[in-house]
Amino acid sequence: MNFASDNVTGAAPEIIEALSAAAAAGPEMPYGADSYTARAEALMSEVFEKEVSVFFVATGTAANSLSLSQLVPPYGGAYCHEDAHIQVHEAGAPEHYGGKLIPVGGEHAKLTPAVLQPAIAKAVPPVHHVKPSAVSITQASESGTVYTPEEIKALASCCREHGMRLHMDGARFANAVASMGVSPAETTWKAGVDALSFGATKNGTLAAEAVVFFDPADGEEFAYRRKRGGHLFSKMRFLTAQWEAYLSGGLWLALADHANAMAARLGSALSEIPAVEILHPVEANMVFAEWPASTTDELVKQGFVFYAQESEGRSRVRLVMAFNTRPEDVEKLIEAVRGHGAAQAAQ
Amino acid sequence: MNFASDNVTGAAPEIIEALSAAAAAGPEMPYGADSYTARAEALMSEVFEKEVSVFFVATGTAANSLSLSQLVPPYGGAYCHEDAHIQVHEAGAPEHYGGKLIPVGGEHAKLTPAVLQPAIAKAVPPVHHVKPSAVSITQASESGTVYTPEEIKALASCCREHGMRLHMDGARFANAVASMGVSPAETTWKAGVDALSFGATKNGTLAAEAVVFFDPADGEEFAYRRKRGGHLFSKMRFLTAQWEAYLSGGLWLALADHANAMAARLGSALSEIPAVEILHPVEANMVFAEWPASTTDELVKQGFVFYAQESEGRSRVRLVMAFNTRPEDVEKLIEAVRGHGAAQAAQ
Amino acid sequence: MNFASDNVTGAAPEIIEALSAAAAAGPEMPYGADSYTARAEALMSEVFEKEVSVFFVATGTAANSLSLSQLVPPYGGAYCHEDAHIQVHEAGAPEHYGGKLIPVGGEHAKLTPAVLQPAIAKAVPPVHHVKPSAVSITQASESGTVYTPEEIKALASCCREHGMRLHMDGARFANAVASMGVSPAETTWKAGVDALSFGATKNGTLAAEAVVFFDPADGEEFAYRRKRGGHLFSKMRFLTAQWEAYLSGGLWLALADHANAMAARLGSALSEIPAVEILHPVEANMVFAEWPASTTDELVKQGFVFYAQESEGRSRVRLVMAFNTRPEDVEKLIEAVRGHGAAQAAQ
Amino acid sequence: MNFASDNVTGAAPEIIEALSAAAAAGPEMPYGADSYTARAEALMSEVFEKEVSVFFVATGTAANSLSLSQLVPPYGGAYCHEDAHIQVHEAGAPEHYGGKLIPVGGEHAKLTPAVLQPAIAKAVPPVHHVKPSAVSITQASESGTVYTPEEIKALASCCREHGMRLHMDGARFANAVASMGVSPAETTWKAGVDALSFGATKNGTLAAEAVVFFDPADGEEFAYRRKRGGHLFSKMRFLTAQWEAYLSGGLWLALADHANAMAARLGSALSEIPAVEILHPVEANMVFAEWPASTTDELVKQGFVFYAQESEGRSRVRLVMAFNTRPEDVEKLIEAVRGHGAAQAAQ
């Protein structure tokens, strides 16, 4: 029973079926000049209700770094949350592809104009500071929270005011969209997002990510950037066959719905256990909680796998639900936490 | 009948079966801490008869650029053939990851110490020139030729003399090994190769490449480089399941043997047609030929697909055989060329 | 009366005399193979009581970025204060030369092990985070404070514990050394500093900075880095003639002593004015104060030049003393502030 | 008697006088917001008969690398001669600042459309090759030859045809302009040059180079690039005071005229000595000759300093004249070569 991350999973049957079919099919021209890619591109524009410029890659770090390098000149800066994946967990990839990240704070891993404005104001003296060029937000965030379209609009407006662009790290984009029940368009370009790193890997594919530009001008020479990073696949069909299956018939939202439902159930049940504190609103597929360190010890003993940070007898844990998380495993987890709490209280 | 490249193909059944199994299997820890990766690593050491340090990636450009950045400091230079893939077809990726490429000449896309020595000698004045740091060779070469272990030893010796390292771009490594009938060890570390970009994508996998260091010291911090480039896969099992299947039971050599045999047959048959000139020795899975431009026109009309460069009534073509090239298609191609030649002669 | 910065100044007569002599002298081999450079190098080793490896450049940003790129691999991180010049005022230069900066807090712009340890601890998960590689401190700091040898030793010990190196941005190194009255050796290598950006520009030269490595191994290939950044001067004598004069006969400390004395006088006098709050200990050549915004307005009207930040009727100002600041100008400034305060009180 | 390079020299008296005055002058705002810089900028526009966007730096490598990074995107390529300084003697600086250099051939170190067109044609397959973005020429060239305005126009036209920009490395721009007797405008923007690295260091200043953009749009954000490279001087007056003196009253052309005259005299005299072969037309301030290796030995013995390459009993030498080369030294050199030749013939 592994709740460490949504990337400990295999892949959804629909995805691997599509891949098998693509593997057995006849020759296709390489580097994206194939029929799978054409169909995946068309689907992407359909999903966003707009002609988008889309580039398929295989890792989220590639999608983030490359898309940021399009929005941010080498001498520019992108503001992000201090807990953002791009800042803490990508080993300097965004800087490698160009530009500098400037971390700022914010509750529940979310940025607000109130936090950004004074940070941007520090860039006043000409050219000493990097040029403020973009803001990057994570949807759903690293704390499992979600930006509403209104919150995104406020950030976009702050960006426009300073001639900056808005980037969205959508490693868990499906979970955010499914959670809010809004259209993909409403939470992206209609709210002012310029570029989206659209992740599918965590939600049932093998390795499938996409850079989506809502202004086609951004995509004009972007293919060079992807190639220069070593991220252009020769047998592109194997990325885009996954995307075709993922976007067809709403599979992507169905998979995310399941993961979200599991998180909602877990969060709700845990919140009723006295010894447990829920640390962030449960708005996507992750539950962050704090409980006694002994609870973590007990769960680990019972075979549960998850990340935990211990400090002074307390344990802060992250529990991630996936497209294939089994309801019975969630119930077992709830039972185990509740049981340990009861045992403790009885002592 | 597509002879444009070995990357127009799908994937071998053994590979997609392994992938399907990996997709359906239970949770595995991400980022390479999984059982598939452990087994693929062990197989790699077995294949090379030596404990190697191996890092799995998904594109050849990633493998080349990353491995070169390990051998060449940011202020260093790597000598390569002027037709080398890293120089001409990787959009500046090697320079993006660090260091400068210095192109030199050489027959049939192969480097020799005789060509390298004067080029290296130009670096005499301290620090103005980049520091000569590595030589990169392609095995099999961009012209479909193969370096013998003796030729590699001579290059390695030239490298050692100048304190340089030897890199091998093995996008078609299987074809070279199968062609020579030597062991993988003999054509790499036993001959003085420090790092190998071991490609499997062109030979029956979906997207599977590996950086192999023969000196484990080179691998110590390399994982950071891979991550910083955006090339660390979260669901690593999907790369390494391919590798496990590829290296098991000699599949990789069997697939390459087939492609090589197709090229040998084609090269041999074409060489007997008067209007055709074979441009490079056929030593792996590619045939380079020159024939009348009208022959190309005729073949294209008949539905054959391949790259051709026209100049003054002549056509220089590249014909690439793959793991799944059908013998009957090769015969059809031979027939078509021969038929056109006969028709011409009859005029 | 310009107190905006120590770089609004011209140059000390001794420096320009040395430069004039060098300009009129006969041919010297370029790129540092000249007699001025040899003498400046010898003087540097004398000053530090140790054979050092030294590289002369012309800007502080060059010295900082280049020296950090020697201590920090491209995939590594350097921890610095969030107000550090390298983080806020170098337009991303350190990242351009390699590695990532990780800003942390600390009173009076100084780092402490207590602040660093938890920041470094965040790098636990292998390779996602950049590799903790160096700590960079500014001596004297951006707030005009000074690290004692003991404080530096504590930071160096924290570095060693994590396999990290210690970098010192010494844009105002002379002011720090003069202020403490310790030897240059005691506040650098004897305290555990690996590399020093030794600045002379702010203290009486035209443009003269140096990268000093205390472990000669760091200097072995550094000349390539300097050249690759475009920072190798062909007529090197014009940098090193400045250095020769600067280090000869203790000129550098005499110049700094004067600037420090001016700051001490100003800080002490201002601290006795009720409406003025001194924001940081005055330990080098800068005074940071807060006073009514109307005081700033009055001073500007009287022709004083300095940087000020207004907020809610208060003004936070930075007043920088230089090698050639005239005592009478300092007294005029004190008088002006005192006068305005008295006038205000009388209302 | 040092003919090794024009950078073995000191500086012209006018330059050092200007510098001394600037050093003794009162406070000036830093980073270019000073009166010297304003005047130097105005002079530059006057010299080019056009409002130009100019950025002062201190080394030619900085000027070249930075200006190229403005014209060439990170994924782009700049074509240059295989002997170009940027390709051979800048330690990879251009690639460090972005983009890739693609070396091609050409007589007397000069590029022609005939050589460029087939090289550019290789970039056909989309995105594998870097994007052809610029051509860089050296004026005067590394072989001491000069591009006429017509030759430059032909190259510019080739650039426009492919959507590329034209860069000029003018390390010896003064020598080229003085040699042709055309206006600076005619050999730059009127002929289609987009950016010029205007060098003054080799021609009588201490360290003074400038990036000149003829389209102001290129200069809009360039100040960030200069800062990010560490090339923004805080006491900018010390760069621009040199430029002011250099451009005032035609000093720059007078200095170059002298050097050119010395080279003309030397080239003409040497060409009449039977044992000497002049290798390139003498069109600026350098003479390239081939003579017996024994001649070189004899000259070295007599105290002449210059670069020579020996091969099979012959010596290829470069003799560089400077703004302050003494006519009597040139005559001594001529005499020594002639004398050795006569002595040889007499044997």
Side-chain angles (χ1 to χ4, degrees):
Chain A
M1 285 165 299
N2 192 321
F3 297 98
S5 181
D6 28 15
N7 59 25
V8 302
T9 57
E14 293 88 343
I15 302 297
I16 194 73
E17 270 162 36
L19 216 52
S20 298
E28 291 271 354
M29 289 309 278
Y31 301 114
D34 63 272
S35 59
Y36 299 83
T37 302
R39 288 193 300 271
E41 285 173 349
L43 272 168
M44 201 63 94
S45 287
E46 215 174 89
V47 160
F48 286 103
E49 306 167 45
K50 183 187 207 298
E51 184 98 2
V52 296
S53 183
V54 58
F55 298 86
F56 301 99
V57 294
T59 72
T61 298
N64 282 332
S65 304
L66 285 166
S67 53
L68 278 168
S69 79
Q70 177 65 30
L71 305 187
V72 180
Y75 46 79
Y79 296 82
C80 65
H81 194 277
E82 60 195 9
D83 293 340
H85 198 264
I86 56 173
Q87 168 67 4
V88 188
H89 287 100
E90 298 192 348
E95 289 86 354
H96 174 49
Y97 284 88
K100 181 183 171 87
L101 298 183
I102 305 168
V104 294
E107 264 195 304
H108 304 312
K110 285 169 67 178
L111 296 180
T112 58
V115 167
L116 282 171
Q117 293 285 16
I120 297 168
K122 285 191 188 164
V124 170
V127 316
H128 300 299
H129 197 281
V130 284
K131 180 171 191 274
S133 303
V135 167
S136 177
I137 57 176
T138 312
Q139 177 80 315
S141 85
E142 286 76 8
S143 293
T145 53
V146 166
Y147 287 90
T148 65
E150 285 65 39
E151 289 171 327
I152 297 170
K153 275 176 200 160
L155 289 165
S157 156
C158 167
C159 285
R160 297 299 171 261
E161 186 188 328
H162 297 285
M164 297 163 67
R165 315 290 302 278
L166 184 54
H167 172 264
M168 180 178 276
D169 174 355
R172 294 188 178 93
F173 184 67
N175 301 100
V177 170
S179 158
M180 284 188 286
V182 301
S183 73
E186 277 173 280
T187 186
T188 55
W189 64 274
K190 287 189 176 171
V193 171
D194 293 298
L196 168 70
S197 296
F198 189 170
T201 307
K202 292 176 189 292
N203 191 35
T205 68
L206 291 77
E209 308 277 320
V211 171
V212 183
F213 292 117
F214 298 105
D215 178 348
D218 283 313
E220 269 167 28
E221 299 199 336
F222 186 79
Y224 283 107
R225 294 190 190 272
R226 178 174 58 178
K227 173 72 185 179
R228 175 177 174 255
H231 291 291
L232 175 60
F233 273 49
S234 59
K235 297 180 174 177
M236 184 66 87
R237 69 168 102 172
F238 292 122
L239 283 185
T240 46
Q242 293 182 66
W243 272 103
E244 191 185 358
Y246 186 66
L247 295 181
S248 293
L251 175 64
W252 66 297
L253 291 173
L255 295 173
D257 266 334
H258 174 79
N260 288 356
M262 294 295 101
R265 164 64 187 144
L266 178 64
S268 160
L270 290 183
S271 72
E272 286 164 18
I273 301 175
V276 177
E277 184 190 351
I278 300 295
L279 298 170
H280 303 296
V282 178
E283 297 174 354
N285 65 322
M286 298 194 286
V287 176
F288 290 81
E290 186 175 317
W291 57 41
S294 61
T295 304
T296 292
D297 297 343
E298 176 61 26
L299 292 175
V300 169
K301 209 158 52 183
Q302 293 185 23
F304 292 97
V305 180
F306 54 92
Y307 289 111
Q309 269 194 316
E310 314 289 307
S311 175
E312 299 176 15
R314 302 288 289 172
S315 187
R316 296 169 80 96
V317 304
R318 186 185 81 154
L319 303 158
V320 190
M321 308 295 114
F323 74 96
N324 63 355
T325 297
R326 291 185 302 181
E328 56 267 37
D329 288 348
V330 174
E331 297 307 323
K332 275 183 204 157
L333 177 59
I334 294 167
E335 221 35 66
V337 178
R338 192 182 286 138
H340 182 70
Q344 292 270 311
Q347 283 182 343
Chain B
M1 286 163 300
N2 192 320
F3 297 98
S5 181
D6 27 16
N7 59 26
V8 302
T9 57
E14 295 87 344
I15 302 297
I16 195 73
E17 270 162 36
L19 216 52
S20 299
E28 291 270 354
M29 289 310 279
Y31 301 113
D34 63 90
S35 59
Y36 298 83
T37 302
R39 287 193 300 271
E41 285 173 348
L43 272 167
M44 201 62 94
S45 288
E46 215 174 87
V47 161
F48 286 103
E49 306 168 43
K50 184 185 205 301
E51 184 96 3
V52 296
S53 182
V54 59
F55 298 86
F56 301 99
V57 295
T59 73
T61 298
N64 281 333
S65 302
L66 285 167
S67 53
L68 278 167
S69 79
Q70 177 65 30
L71 304 186
V72 179
Y75 46 82
Y79 297 81
C80 65
H81 194 276
E82 60 194 10
D83 293 339
H85 198 264
I86 56 172
Q87 169 67 5
V88 188
H89 287 100
E90 298 193 349
E95 288 86 353
H96 174 48
Y97 284 88
K100 182 182 171 90
L101 298 183
I102 305 167
V104 295
E107 265 197 303
H108 303 311
K110 284 169 67 177
L111 296 180
T112 58
V115 168
L116 283 170
Q117 294 285 14
I120 297 169
K122 284 191 189 164
V124 169
V127 317
H128 299 299
H129 197 282
V130 285
K131 180 171 190 274
S133 303
V135 167
S136 177
I137 57 176
T138 311
Q139 178 80 315
S141 85
E142 285 77 7
S143 292
T145 53
V146 165
Y147 287 91
T148 66
E150 285 64 39
E151 289 172 326
I152 297 171
K153 274 177 200 160
L155 290 165
S157 156
C158 167
C159 285
R160 298 298 172 261
E161 186 189 327
H162 297 284
M164 296 163 69
R165 317 290 302 278
L166 185 53
H167 172 264
M168 180 178 277
D169 174 356
R172 293 188 178 93
F173 184 67
N175 302 100
V177 169
S179 159
M180 284 188 286
V182 300
S183 73
E186 276 172 281
T187 185
T188 55
W189 63 273
K190 286 189 178 172
V193 171
D194 292 298
L196 169 70
S197 295
F198 189 169
T201 308
K202 291 176 189 292
N203 192 35
T205 68
L206 292 78
E209 307 278 321
V211 170
V212 183
F213 292 116
F214 299 105
D215 178 348
D218 283 313
E220 269 166 30
E221 300 198 338
F222 186 80
Y224 282 106
R225 293 189 190 273
R226 178 175 57 179
K227 173 72 186 180
R228 175 177 174 255
H231 291 290
L232 175 59
F233 273 49
S234 58
K235 297 180 175 177
M236 184 66 87
R237 69 168 103 173
F238 293 122
L239 283 184
T240 46
Q242 293 181 68
W243 272 103
E244 192 185 357
Y246 187 66
L247 295 181
S248 293
L251 176 65
W252 67 295
L253 292 172
L255 295 172
D257 266 333
H258 174 79
N260 288 356
M262 294 296 100
R265 164 64 187 144
L266 178 64
S268 159
L270 292 182
S271 71
E272 286 164 18
I273 302 173
V276 177
E277 184 191 350
I278 300 295
L279 298 170
H280 303 295
V282 178
E283 298 174 353
N285 64 321
M286 298 195 286
V287 177
F288 290 80
E290 185 175 318
W291 57 43
S294 61
T295 305
T296 292
D297 297 343
E298 175 62 25
L299 292 175
V300 168
K301 206 158 52 183
Q302 294 185 23
F304 292 98
V305 179
F306 53 91
Y307 289 111
Q309 271 195 312
E310 315 288 307
S311 175
E312 299 176 15
R314 302 287 290 172
S315 187
R316 298 170 79 96
V317 304
R318 187 184 80 153
L319 303 158
V320 191
M321 307 296 115
F323 74 97
N324 63 355
T325 298
R326 291 184 301 182
E328 56 267 37
D329 288 348
V330 173
E331 297 307 323
K332 276 183 204 158
L333 176 59
I334 294 166
E335 221 35 65
V337 178
R338 192 182 286 138
H340 181 70
Q344 292 270 309
Q347 285 182 343
Chain C
M1 287 163 300
N2 191 321
F3 298 99
S5 183
D6 27 16
N7 59 25
V8 303
T9 58
E14 294 89 343
I15 301 298
I16 194 73
E17 270 162 38
L19 216 52
S20 298
E28 290 271 355
M29 290 308 280
Y31 301 114
D34 63 90
S35 59
Y36 299 83
T37 302
R39 287 194 300 272
E41 286 172 348
L43 272 167
M44 201 64 93
S45 289
E46 217 173 86
V47 161
F48 286 104
E49 307 167 45
K50 182 185 205 305
E51 184 96 4
V52 297
S53 182
V54 58
F55 298 85
F56 301 99
V57 294
T59 72
T61 298
N64 282 332
S65 303
L66 285 167
S67 53
L68 278 168
S69 79
Q70 177 65 29
L71 304 187
V72 179
Y75 46 80
Y79 296 82
C80 65
H81 194 277
E82 60 195 8
D83 293 340
H85 198 263
I86 55 173
Q87 168 68 5
V88 188
H89 288 99
E90 299 192 348
E95 288 86 355
H96 174 48
Y97 284 88
K100 181 182 172 90
L101 298 183
I102 304 168
V104 295
E107 263 195 303
H108 303 311
K110 285 169 65 178
L111 296 180
T112 57
V115 167
L116 282 170
Q117 292 287 15
I120 297 168
K122 283 191 189 163
V124 170
V127 316
H128 300 299
H129 197 281
V130 284
K131 182 171 189 273
S133 303
V135 167
S136 178
I137 57 176
T138 312
Q139 176 80 315
S141 86
E142 284 77 8
S143 292
T145 53
V146 165
Y147 287 90
T148 65
E150 286 64 39
E151 288 171 328
I152 297 170
K153 274 177 200 162
L155 290 165
S157 156
C158 167
C159 286
R160 298 298 172 261
E161 186 189 327
H162 297 285
M164 297 164 69
R165 316 289 302 277
L166 185 54
H167 172 264
M168 180 178 276
D169 174 355
R172 294 186 178 93
F173 184 67
N175 302 99
V177 169
S179 160
M180 284 188 287
V182 300
S183 74
E186 277 173 281
T187 185
T188 55
W189 64 274
K190 286 189 177 171
V193 172
D194 293 297
L196 170 69
S197 296
F198 190 169
T201 307
K202 293 176 189 291
N203 191 35
T205 68
L206 292 77
E209 308 277 321
V211 170
V212 183
F213 292 116
F214 299 104
D215 178 349
D218 283 313
E220 269 166 30
E221 301 199 336
F222 186 80
Y224 283 106
R225 294 189 189 272
R226 179 175 57 177
K227 174 71 185 180
R228 175 176 174 255
H231 291 290
L232 175 60
F233 273 50
S234 59
K235 297 180 175 177
M236 183 66 86
R237 68 168 102 171
F238 293 122
L239 282 184
T240 47
Q242 294 182 67
W243 272 104
E244 191 184 357
Y246 186 67
L247 295 181
S248 292
L251 176 64
W252 67 295
L253 290 173
L255 295 172
D257 266 333
H258 174 78
N260 288 355
M262 293 296 100
R265 163 64 187 144
L266 178 64
S268 158
L270 291 183
S271 72
E272 286 164 17
I273 301 174
V276 177
E277 184 191 350
I278 300 295
L279 297 170
H280 303 296
V282 178
E283 297 174 354
N285 65 321
M286 298 195 286
V287 176
F288 290 81
E290 185 175 318
W291 57 41
S294 61
T295 304
T296 292
D297 296 344
E298 176 60 26
L299 292 174
V300 168
K301 206 157 52 181
Q302 294 185 22
F304 292 98
V305 180
F306 54 91
Y307 289 111
Q309 270 195 315
E310 315 289 306
S311 175
E312 300 176 13
R314 302 287 290 173
S315 187
R316 297 169 80 96
V317 304
R318 187 184 79 154
L319 303 158
V320 190
M321 308 296 115
F323 74 96
N324 64 354
T325 297
R326 292 184 302 183
E328 55 267 37
D329 288 349
V330 173
E331 297 307 324
K332 276 183 204 157
L333 177 60
I334 293 166
E335 222 33 66
V337 178
R338 192 182 287 139
H340 182 69
Q344 291 270 312
Q347 285 181 343
Chain D
M1 287 164 301
N2 191 321
F3 298 98
S5 182
D6 27 16
N7 59 26
V8 304
T9 58
E14 294 88 344
I15 301 297
I16 193 73
E17 270 162 37
L19 216 52
S20 298
E28 290 271 355
M29 289 310 278
Y31 301 114
D34 63 272
S35 59
Y36 298 83
T37 302
R39 287 193 301 272
E41 285 172 348
L43 273 168
M44 200 63 94
S45 288
E46 217 174 87
V47 161
F48 286 103
E49 306 168 45
K50 183 187 207 300
E51 184 96 3
V52 297
S53 181
V54 59
F55 298 86
F56 302 99
V57 294
T59 73
T61 298
N64 282 332
S65 304
L66 285 167
S67 53
L68 278 168
S69 80
Q70 178 65 30
L71 304 186
V72 180
Y75 47 81
Y79 296 82
C80 65
H81 194 276
E82 60 195 8
D83 292 339
H85 199 264
I86 55 173
Q87 169 67 5
V88 188
H89 287 99
E90 299 192 348
E95 288 87 353
H96 174 48
Y97 284 88
K100 181 183 171 90
L101 298 183
I102 305 167
V104 296
E107 264 195 304
H108 303 311
K110 284 170 66 178
L111 296 180
T112 58
V115 167
L116 281 171
Q117 293 285 15
I120 297 168
K122 284 191 188 164
V124 170
V127 316
H128 300 298
H129 198 281
V130 284
K131 180 171 191 274
S133 303
V135 167
S136 177
I137 58 176
T138 311
Q139 176 79 316
S141 85
E142 285 77 7
S143 293
T145 53
V146 166
Y147 288 90
T148 65
E150 286 64 40
E151 289 171 328
I152 297 170
K153 274 177 200 159
L155 290 165
S157 157
C158 167
C159 285
R160 298 297 172 262
E161 185 189 326
H162 297 283
M164 296 163 68
R165 316 291 302 279
L166 184 54
H167 172 263
M168 179 177 277
D169 174 355
R172 294 185 178 94
F173 184 69
N175 302 98
V177 170
S179 159
M180 285 188 286
V182 301
S183 73
E186 277 173 280
T187 186
T188 55
W189 64 273
K190 287 189 177 172
V193 171
D194 293 297
L196 169 70
S197 296
F198 190 170
T201 307
K202 293 176 189 292
N203 191 35
T205 68
L206 291 77
E209 308 277 322
V211 170
V212 183
F213 291 116
F214 299 105
D215 178 349
D218 283 314
E220 269 166 30
E221 299 199 338
F222 187 79
Y224 283 106
R225 294 189 189 272
R226 177 176 57 178
K227 173 72 186 180
R228 174 177 174 255
H231 291 290
L232 175 60
F233 272 50
S234 58
K235 296 180 175 177
M236 184 66 86
R237 69 168 103 172
F238 292 122
L239 283 184
T240 47
Q242 293 182 67
W243 272 103
E244 192 184 357
Y246 186 67
L247 295 180
S248 292
L251 175 64
W252 67 295
L253 291 172
L255 295 172
D257 266 334
H258 173 79
N260 288 354
M262 293 296 101
R265 164 64 187 143
L266 178 64
S268 159
L270 290 183
S271 72
E272 287 164 17
I273 302 174
V276 176
E277 184 191 350
I278 300 295
L279 298 171
H280 304 295
V282 179
E283 298 175 353
N285 65 321
M286 299 194 285
V287 177
F288 291 79
E290 185 175 317
W291 55 42
S294 61
T295 304
T296 292
D297 297 343
E298 176 60 26
L299 292 174
V300 168
K301 205 155 57 181
Q302 293 185 25
F304 293 98
V305 179
F306 53 90
Y307 289 110
Q309 270 194 314
E310 315 289 306
S311 174
E312 300 176 15
R314 302 286 290 170
S315 187
R316 297 170 80 96
V317 304
R318 186 184 81 153
L319 303 158
V320 190
M321 308 296 115
F323 73 97
N324 63 355
T325 298
R326 293 185 302 182
E328 57 266 38
D329 288 348
V330 174
E331 298 306 324
K332 276 182 204 158
L333 177 59
I334 294 166
E335 221 35 67
V337 178
R338 193 182 285 138
H340 182 71
Q344 292 270 310
Q347 285 182 344

